[in-house]
Amino acid sequence: MPETFNAQLLLQLAVEWMGVIAVAIIFTASPRFKRQPVTFKYPRRELYVSLSLWGLVWVVMWLIFSRLTAETGSADPNLWILTAVLAAAPFAAALAVRRQPLRSAGLNPQTLTPALLMGVGLGLITLFLRGKVEVILYGLPAGSPALLPALLIFALGWEFAFRGFVQPRLAARLGERWGWLAASGLAALTVLPFRIMVAQAAWPLILGDLALELVKSLLAGWMVQKNGGDVLSVALYRAIHDWTFFL
């Protein structure tokens, strides 16, 4: 997560997001991403389950992160892995206990190959548009190679929770548009414990992070709608996107 926001960074992000949208439209035009939308027999129950689990995640993150200090910086791989576990574990447990299929949480084996290709394409265009290709070719900053696997784990857990589990269940009850907006808002609010407890950021930076997370969530939710509900490609993009802040 960025420590400062400036005009150059915002311009880079705007260019990146426009490129990502263009690439996503090209990839999702493939019929391999087309499938029947997931439906739920009791959409109101799914709404309550999703909101309850999100509330549990939020409270647990406050409790866990309150025990961490500012010395546990955002470059610590263990912090990203811990966040992935905290975000994904309750939703994974609910999926198993309720015996719902993986595809109802954005993990569809039938779209694995195209999702991987789309994720790689989104990652490459992100590195190019953010000007990080030369950094990778001529020398990575210390610690950044070890951080990438942790960011991949985080992104998979995060997108599974919010785009895979929460968004389709909110959409089943609230409609596709409002479900997308609500899931994006919940994801943005979930960064609060990290910024307040661990990063100890000032409120302008906290609000900036909330806005950034909201835009990223809206983009990720839109891509999931376009690609038939698969979160793998979105997770790969998110991992590379977050990694660029450490390059």
Side-chain angles (χ1 to χ4, degrees), residues 61-62 65-66 68-70 192-200:
M61 282 194 175
W62 278 105
F65 285 174
S66 66
L68 303 178
T69 66
L192 273 176
F194 168 81
R195 295 304 283 173
I196 293 177
M197 294 293 188
V198 180
Q200 298 182 5

Side-chain angles (χ1 to χ4, degrees), residues 18 81 118 125 185:
M18 287 188 290
I81 295 173
M118 179 178 172
I125 195 66

